[in-house]
Amino acid sequence: MVSYPARGVIRPVMNLIKLKEFSILKQLYLEEKLLRSSSENWCIINNGTKQPTIVMGVSGRPSELVNINSVIRDQIPVIRRFSGGGTVIVDNGTIFVTLICNKDDIPGLQPYPRPIMSWTGQFYGEVLREFGDFHLRENDYAFGSRKFGGNAQSITKNRWVHHTSFLWDYDVSNMDYLKLPMRAPEYRSARSHVEFLCRMKEILPSKSTFIEGTIETLGSHFSVRPIQSNAATNLSNISHPPSTRLLTRPELEQALLSASENSDTNSSIYAVP
Amino acid sequence: MRWFSSQAWVDVPTGGVVEVPLAQTGEGIAECELLKWFVEEGDQVEEFQRLCEVQSDKATIEITSRFKGKVLQILFVPGDIVKVGETLLKILVEDTPSSLDTQSPLTSVSDFAGVDCESSSDAEEEIVGGILATPAVRHLAKQHGININDIRGTGKDGRVLKEDILNFVSSKITSQEPPSISRTIIDEDELELLNNGKTLNMNFVENQHYEDKTIPLRGYQRSMVKSMSMAAKVPHFHYLEEINCDALVDLKAAFQSGNTDQNVKHTFLPFLIKALSAALSKYPLLNSSFHEEANEVIVKGWHNIGVAMATPYGLVVPNIKKVQSLSVLEITKELSRLQLLASNNKLSSEDITGGTITLSNIGAIGGKFGSPLLNLPEVAIIAIGRIHKLPRYDDDDETIYPASVTNVTIGADHRVVDGATVARFCNEWKLLIEKPELLLLHMR
């Protein structure tokens, strides 16, 4: 159920880290660290990641989700992140926004997947409604029925992470590295990547419109405290090993091998439109 | 959106093996993938310690223990799909000295291992010997020479508060019998007795005295607090109509006299449910759910008609699925099945989720008018009053005769439905109840 911003009441603090072209692998390490070792609220906004990278969910199997041959050939990094959800290929056209919150700091919000999805959906609705026909469709953000943002979560006893990869822009040829997922939301209706997705840059005037709009909306729910990025991103004091991992080449080759052993027909190399 | 944090209230034996199931983690989530365990068989676990991590769709969720004890058996391995309600692991819950006290009510847990919805935020509190209390409170008990295990905590989750110690001390001084607590905690059985209006038998000492009783809200009662608070925020309007039940009374009598199955008892409700479904087919907007944040109304296909039931454990609304595809007899049997489960507190999460509209047959107990609160995210709820005899005019508009009538109140979400729609819908339903033969026109 939706909660309402607490006006006239002391709002909880939300630390804000703004990054540009920060490595998505390091961003995920940072998120995990903040989730597990901090007791404060954090918002991380990362404007793009330098290198095209594939990010799978926690139980993602490369053989099912990724065209391994081309990934190995082109040396595309493949990461398995700590949160659930599906597979994306991200690059410098992706805007990442992550919210890490104490469950008690949003009044009335229950720390379960659907309520959090609903609350964050409403949050981004506030940011984006004036620009387009914004919808939370199942677990995606869409304009109309075209997805421009994918979400994933990780929930612990008292805290939760909800992170989104927003497609400001994407390179169509990168989509070829991904297979059509076996589990897809109903509203996808078997559309190809290109027919299903939408570029935010066709709807909003600039990246900073979105980023600043998000920060402003954040301010209506929280007391935003900007943090110097170099201070925050010092990862040398990670206390426990992160679950997020970059898959090694031997692992990818092994996945390819076991996939072809298991399947009767060869898995297609290129995504089927 | 609605969620139940616990599917059913589980009696926790103090001292004994507990089967810890995967608790419901939100509406509509039926199963999760087990990702990893943080404990092994044989490990000691503390209350609130992480047990495992599961994945449901887009979320990874850590599951923490509600008990202190020893892990006896782990029933799933990483990669397995676990249905909500299936047992994840078995824990041997430790005996505490208070478990030897046969009067001691269950002061721990109202929901089992799952994502905590309420947990201790006071890091100072300790759990020693199964009793939750701050060090200051323990010290106070020691000062008074009291064994803290003898005290029933009236704080959240049964923790012992300073007042409990002081009350204990003062009642100890005034009584000659073994100490009685002047503020008693009521357990579920006593709650049932209260609800049934019988007087309680308390630990009386010299004179009878009427004391305040504190009832910590658990299980269904706690759910009711949450769901009604949310429902109160919705702009309701209520529509009242009188329905002539003569034909319905005759119908029920006909069912009963033609009934060859001893296990089936015919009541009014199944026909009312079937007629409701027929009316909904004509006015499907009343069978929808409103999602505020997306500003959308989802018109539901199947009629999953919820029936509010008052059980000894509280108000619960299981629903009969796909009423369009059921006959009146099948509805009768399904209703009976759900009633039995409800009275034994054995409804599954499948039974209580997925409802699309709710009926409240409050008339079975009494009453003429009501203003029922919506069962969110549904947009309509119907309260049916008592069927009773009143003088009414016959069809010729001249003769007065004793008619069986009932009042129904339809509560609806005025953001989604307007009065005219509800009125037409109700007229349709009323017509089918007053002239049941018309239902034959719609029968497939």
Side-chain angles (χ1 to χ4, degrees):
Chain A
M1 188 67 180
V2 165
S3 69
Y4 300 90
R7 299 201 188 281
V9 176
I10 295 174
R11 285 165 289 163
V13 170
M14 171 68 74
N15 297 301
L16 172 68
I17 305 175
K18 280 175 76 172
L19 301 165
K20 187 161 170 65
E21 294 196 338
F22 193 66
S23 144
I24 182 60
L25 179 64
K26 289 195 182 143
Q27 177 184 336
L28 290 166
Y29 285 152
L30 175 62
E31 290 178 16
E32 253 198 278
K33 171 187 152 194
L34 293 175
L35 172 69
R36 301 193 201 289
S37 346
S38 165
S39 54
E40 298 186 358
N41 302 311
W42 297 85
C43 174
I44 301 171
I45 302 182
N46 182 13
N47 187 352
T49 190
K50 267 216 183 69
Q51 197 186 7
T53 307
I54 293 175
V55 185
M56 300 186 303
V58 67
S59 58
R61 289 188 197 88
S63 53
E64 290 168 14
L65 301 167
V66 158
N67 289 315
I68 304 182
N69 278 323
S70 33
V71 157
I72 292 178
R73 178 195 70 209
D74 298 342
Q75 297 182 320
I76 308 290
V78 178
I79 296 174
R80 186 183 280 130
R81 64 179 184 262
F82 67 99
S83 56
T87 310
V88 288
I89 180 159
V90 299
D91 56 22
N92 59 1
T94 311
I95 303 178
F96 302 95
V97 183
T98 300
L99 288 166
I100 304 174
C101 293
N102 290 315
K103 67 167 188 179
D104 293 331
D105 283 342
I106 299 180
L109 179 60
Q110 294 288 308
Y112 301 131
R114 304 254 165 135
I116 297 170
M117 192 64 75
S118 165
W119 188 90
T120 46
Q122 214 219 14
F123 174 84
Y124 287 111
E126 284 174 49
V127 180
L128 292 164
R129 214 154 265 148
E130 63 183 282
F131 300 104
D133 184 25
F134 174 85
H135 290 275
L136 169 65
R137 294 215 178 273
E138 297 176 52
N139 299 309
D140 298 335
Y141 300 141
F143 286 122
S145 61
R146 295 181 69 184
K147 170 178 175 177
F148 68 91
N151 297 292
Q153 299 167 338
S154 185
I155 304 174
T156 64
K157 181 162 154 289
N158 293 313
R159 289 162 71 68
W160 50 262
V161 167
H162 178 102
H163 50 204
T164 312
S165 56
F166 288 97
L167 285 179
W168 177 260
D169 190 5
Y170 66 88
D171 186 343
V172 178
S173 56
N174 280 347
M175 292 297 147
D176 289 343
Y177 292 114
L178 301 181
K179 293 188 172 170
L180 264 185
M182 286 193 308
R183 274 184 63 211
E186 265 181 59
Y187 81 100
R188 183 168 182 148
S189 307
R191 288 178 278 169
S192 67
H193 293 304
V194 173
E195 292 168 331
F196 174 53
L197 301 173
C198 166
R199 291 181 172 86
M200 279 174 91
K201 75 175 200 188
E202 288 162 16
I203 312 269
L204 274 86
S206 68
K207 276 180 171 181
S208 65
T209 308
F210 172 57
I211 292 173
E212 296 311 316
T214 300
I215 297 173
E216 197 186 307
T217 304
L218 202 61
S220 69
H221 294 269
F222 302 97
S223 169
V224 177
R225 186 208 285 162
I227 302 284
Q228 285 286 41
S229 56
N230 41 13
T233 56
N234 177 7
L235 293 166
S236 57
N237 54 343
I238 291 184
S239 47
H240 28 226
S243 312
T244 301
R245 272 186 58 243
L246 180 66
L247 297 187
T248 62
R249 181 167 170 148
E251 281 177 295
L252 289 171
E253 286 171 345
Q254 180 58 40
L256 192 59
L257 215 57
S258 39
S260 53
E261 281 167 0
N262 290 336
S263 64
D264 292 327
T265 59
N266 277 334
S267 39
S268 59
I269 301 297
Y270 299 105
V272 177
Chain B
M1 293 201 193
R2 151 180 293 275
W3 57 85
F4 283 105
S5 58
S6 55
Q7 65 181 34
W9 198 85
V10 169
D11 268 355
V12 175
T14 42
V17 178
V18 173
E19 294 192 358
V20 177
L22 177 64
Q24 185 155 359
T25 52
E27 179 202 291
I29 295 176
E31 58 190 28
C32 295
E33 178 189 348
L34 178 67
L35 294 173
K36 62 175 157 202
W37 284 104
F38 298 115
V39 297
E40 291 174 0
E41 288 177 3
D43 282 355
Q44 278 294 122
V45 294
E46 295 295 318
E47 211 178 331
F48 312 127
Q49 185 179 332
R50 291 190 307 179
L51 291 175
C52 60
E53 190 177 45
V54 301
Q55 181 185 210
S56 128
D57 208 8
K58 300 285 177 181
T60 60
I61 307 168
E62 281 187 359
I63 303 226
T64 52
S65 180
R66 292 296 276 157
F67 315 111
K68 179 181 160 126
K70 185 163 108 161
V71 177
L72 280 185
Q73 191 188 12
I74 284 184
L75 294 156
F76 286 96
V77 296
D80 285 346
I81 302 292
V82 185
K83 289 201 192 341
V84 168
E86 282 193 276
T87 303
L88 276 170
L89 73 162
K90 295 185 187 175
I91 294 185
L92 178 66
V93 175
E94 282 174 10
D95 274 344
T96 64
S98 66
S99 70
L100 301 173
D101 174 2
T102 53
Q103 287 177 329
S104 157
L106 301 168
T107 55
S108 65
V109 309
S110 64
D111 45 12
F112 29 43
V115 180
D116 275 330
C117 50
E118 278 176 55
S119 62
S120 167
S121 53
D122 182 353
E124 303 296 305
E125 286 179 327
E126 302 170 318
I127 307 155
V128 174
I131 300 291
L132 192 61
T134 63
V137 168
R138 285 179 198 285
H139 184 66
L140 189 63
K142 228 189 245 175
Q143 277 185 320
H144 286 279
I146 298 167
N147 182 351
I148 200 164
N149 297 317
D150 290 341
I151 309 216
R152 289 180 199 178
T154 61
K156 193 170 88 159
D157 290 335
R159 55 196 68 160
V160 177
L161 307 174
K162 183 173 159 191
E163 321 157 82
D164 299 328
I165 307 272
L166 297 176
N167 286 334
F168 185 85
V169 168
S170 60
S171 60
K172 205 172 161 192
I173 293 169
T174 57
S175 75
Q176 294 165 354
E177 300 269 348
S180 68
I181 314 294
S182 62
R183 275 166 60 200
T184 55
I185 296 296
I186 299 205
D187 64 16
E188 295 294 322
D189 291 334
E190 294 178 31
L191 187 58
E192 179 187 351
L193 291 175
L194 259 184
N195 287 338
N196 288 343
K198 296 184 190 143
T199 52
L200 286 179
N201 199 4
M202 304 197 316
N203 285 333
F204 285 139
V205 197
E206 297 149 307
N207 308 305
Q208 285 195 6
H209 41 279
Y210 294 99
E211 292 160 350
D212 293 344
K213 297 165 198 17
T214 302
I215 306 172
L217 294 181
R218 308 228 188 277
Y220 289 137
Q221 296 226 297
R222 195 152 85 175
S223 290
M224 191 162 78
V225 172
K226 285 183 196 154
S227 52
M228 294 307 169
S229 301
M230 291 195 303
K233 293 185 190 147
V234 173
H236 286 65
F237 75 95
H238 291 100
Y239 176 89
L240 183 68
E241 177 62 287
E242 180 183 285
I243 299 185
N244 185 312
C245 292
D246 288 337
L248 186 63
V249 171
D250 289 341
L251 193 65
K252 176 182 142 183
F255 286 162
Q256 270 302 119
S257 66
N259 186 14
T260 49
D261 187 346
Q262 273 184 337
N263 293 326
V264 173
K265 182 173 171 242
H266 289 284
T267 60
F268 296 117
L269 207 45
F271 181 79
L272 290 170
I273 292 171
K274 189 65 184 169
L276 187 71
S277 172
L280 283 173
S281 297
K282 245 184 132 177
Y283 295 96
L285 188 61
L286 282 120
N287 193 60
S288 58
S289 92
F290 181 51
H291 290 273
E292 196 176 339
E293 69 290 346
N295 222 31
E296 293 177 334
V297 172
I298 299 177
V299 178
K300 299 284 189 182
W302 287 113
H303 303 157
N304 298 335
I305 299 184
V307 179
M309 295 183 184
T311 73
Y313 308 94
L315 169 69
V316 67
V317 188
N319 60 88
I320 300 176
K321 302 275 194 294
K322 302 186 179 175
V323 173
Q324 298 103 309
S325 65
L326 297 178
S327 66
V328 173
L329 182 60
E330 285 165 334
I331 295 170
T332 309
K333 290 181 179 165
E334 176 62 5
L335 189 60
S336 178
R337 180 187 80 89
L338 290 171
Q339 276 164 336
L340 188 60
L341 288 175
S343 56
N344 292 325
N345 209 2
K346 294 252 185 290
L347 288 167
S348 72
S349 57
E350 172 70 13
D351 294 328
I352 57 177
T353 53
T356 57
I357 190 171
T358 299
L359 265 180
S360 168
N361 187 18
I362 192 72
I365 301 172
K368 276 195 205 174
F369 306 106
S371 55
L373 289 185
L374 286 173
N375 193 7
L376 296 180
E378 296 168 13
V379 304
I381 180 167
I382 305 165
I384 309 171
R386 200 164 47 89
I387 299 182
H388 54 299
K389 282 229 187 319
L390 286 175
R392 289 283 177 270
Y393 281 112
D394 208 344
D395 287 338
D396 59 8
D397 279 348
E398 284 178 359
T399 331
I400 295 183
Y401 79 104
S404 296
V405 298
T406 182
N407 288 314
V408 299
T409 315
I410 303 183
D413 185 336
H414 215 329
R415 300 171 299 179
V416 177
V417 197
D418 60 28
T421 311
V422 170
R424 291 191 191 108
F425 161 75
C426 188
N427 287 345
E428 182 68 25
W429 189 40
K430 176 179 153 98
L431 186 62
L432 291 169
I433 297 170
E434 293 181 346
K435 296 190 185 334
E437 60 274 17
L438 292 178
L439 202 60
L440 283 171
L441 285 175
H442 304 288
M443 197 173 78
R444 296 224 165 103

